[in-house]
Amino acid sequence: MNAILPAASPRTLHRVPVRVLMVDDSAVSRSVIGRIIDDAADVNLVSRVSSPDEAFAFLAEQRVDIILLDHEMPGRKGLDALPALLDAAHDAHVIMLSSHCQRGSKTAVAALSIGASDALAKPSAMDSGPEFAEQLLSRIRRLASARCQNSAEADRLILRPFPEGFAVHCIGIGASTGGIHALAELLSAVSARPGSPVLITQHLPAAFISHYAKQVARMTDMPVSIARDGEVLRDDHVYIAPGEASLSCIRDGAKVRARLIAERDMLSSARPSVNPMFAGMAQSYGAGSLGIILTGIGRDGTAGASAVVKAGGAVIVQDETSSTVWGMPGSAARAGLVSACLAPHEMPHYLRAHFGLG
């Protein structure tokens, strides 16, 4: 009999302007960002503070939707303050807005791994033009919109039973916004190697992937590499999708090889995309496929999850409460494709208890 997943408690929809807090010691930066946001009727910069301590004091009395956080500040740097800031801000999204967040930088990837929802570089000397303003407002609106979508869930969601005799031969993990932090929580709870290849698709630009791979390597004792087209997939090895192609796989006799797909996924428009990864797993490993969908904006992974389920495999997703954005996991759950809905740190224990995995 199918299990029933109770609906999460509703959240307040954004019928008022998005509330933004800016934390930056530069008066010039605060002024420039202030002018950008003042020109947007749907975004309200409720406070501009110059240090994390001032931010904590503000958040003790006020709620915000988005925090713009600089890194280089006197005393406590932004990255150092980020974990405590996320706790103090409850479910607010943090955008790391710093000159140290150039495309692909270590600081940007570190911020995302700690829990920031996005990272954006400030223009040099804050000589910002229309392009930067458009990028900043677009990211603020996208994150705020995703929070609204999270709250509009159906009253009850159906969980599929796991296939009888389910045994894992390949694991695929897909994620987007908030996914680096979620993956760290998942891998930190793994107590044993799974005995299968682990494929990871994280929505990131190509410039970020090398730093991301190094971050993942610090999360696990398994070998980690960026996937190469045609290489044989080995058990207990982590393969990461490169930023310029989706990672899939194809069976070659008794072996399974990595397959890189340069084209954007037609359904999600993403590259790399979770859909071809799951579809390749379904074709290559069939009923031995386990798909895991972590936090992320959009629907990428749902079509691929359907392929996994049709092949006799199983899909689990991150729950709404622990997700930065319950878009990708929520989409698969609403489609009736999910057999468990858990916080990332609970997944290894659950799989170990039920299937002797992880």
Side-chain angles (χ1 to χ4, degrees), residues 7-302:
S9 58
R11 299 176 185 174
T12 304
L13 293 176
H14 282 284
R15 294 191 176 91
V16 295
V18 181
R19 291 172 57 83
V20 177
L21 167 66
M22 184 177 186
V23 188
D24 195 318
D25 67 304
S26 168
V28 174
S29 297
R30 295 197 300 270
S31 175
V32 171
I33 299 300
R35 286 197 298 271
I36 290 172
I37 293 180
D38 285 346
D39 289 338
D42 59 336
V43 182
N44 182 17
L45 187 58
V46 295
S47 184
R48 288 173 269 190
V49 300
S50 60
S51 71
D53 288 341
E54 291 180 42
F56 293 133
F58 179 84
L59 292 169
E61 299 180 355
Q62 301 276 350
R63 297 292 292 268
V64 298
D65 304 304
I66 306 288
I67 298 172
L68 304 179
L69 178 64
D70 188 25
H71 174 53
E72 282 293 345
M73 292 181 284
R76 199 173 189 182
K77 295 186 183 299
L79 274 182
D80 298 332
L82 180 54
L85 200 58
L86 287 166
D87 289 339
H90 304 289
D91 60 349
H93 290 294
V94 173
I95 299 176
M96 201 76 183
L97 184 62
S98 169
S99 58
H100 290 261
C101 287
Q102 295 90 352
R103 197 170 180 83
S105 72
K106 292 181 181 179
T107 301
V109 175
L112 294 170
S113 68
I114 294 171
S117 297
D118 207 343
L120 180 63
K122 292 188 294 189
S124 59
M126 286 308 295
D127 183 20
S128 62
E131 183 178 350
F132 171 75
E134 183 178 341
Q135 276 195 56
L136 177 62
L137 292 173
S138 173
R139 295 183 188 206
I140 289 172
R141 288 166 176 149
R142 191 171 185 231
L143 288 171
S145 174
R147 294 180 74 226
C148 292
Q149 292 167 10
N150 280 4
S151 63
E153 295 303 317
D155 289 338
R156 298 166 77 80
L157 297 171
I158 305 298
L159 290 179
R160 301 177 62 86
F162 277 92
E164 188 174 351
F166 181 59
V168 177
H169 298 296
C170 183
I171 300 171
I173 304 173
S176 186
T177 306
I180 300 178
H181 181 60
L183 180 67
E185 291 189 342
L186 190 163
L187 292 179
S188 68
V190 172
S191 61
R193 295 190 174 193
S196 65
V198 179
L199 313 184
I200 296 178
T201 294
Q202 168 71 49
H203 290 175
L204 280 174
F208 284 84
I209 294 298
S210 62
H211 290 309
Y212 173 62
K214 292 174 184 176
Q215 284 276 0
V216 176
R218 288 193 282 269
M219 301 174 188
T220 177
D221 65 352
M222 289 184 284
V224 176
S225 63
I226 299 170
R228 301 187 308 273
D229 192 52
E231 69 176 315
V232 175
L233 299 183
R234 302 190 301 275
D235 290 346
D236 299 324
H237 191 110
V238 178
Y239 299 91
I240 295 175
E244 71 280 0
S246 294
L247 169 60
S248 187
C249 54
I250 187 168
R251 181 159 288 280
D252 179 14
K255 301 175 181 178
V256 176
R257 298 183 182 275
R259 180 181 175 224
L260 300 185
I261 302 172
E263 296 79 16
R264 288 188 178 275
D265 178 56
M266 293 180 61
L267 296 175
S268 67
S269 297
R271 187 180 64 185
S273 171
V274 182
N275 284 330
M277 179 178 72
F278 283 173
M281 289 168 52
Q283 293 169 0
S284 301
Y285 293 95
S289 304
L290 173 64
I292 300 175
I293 304 177
L294 302 177
T295 172
I297 291 174
R299 296 173 51 85
D300 188 24
T302 298

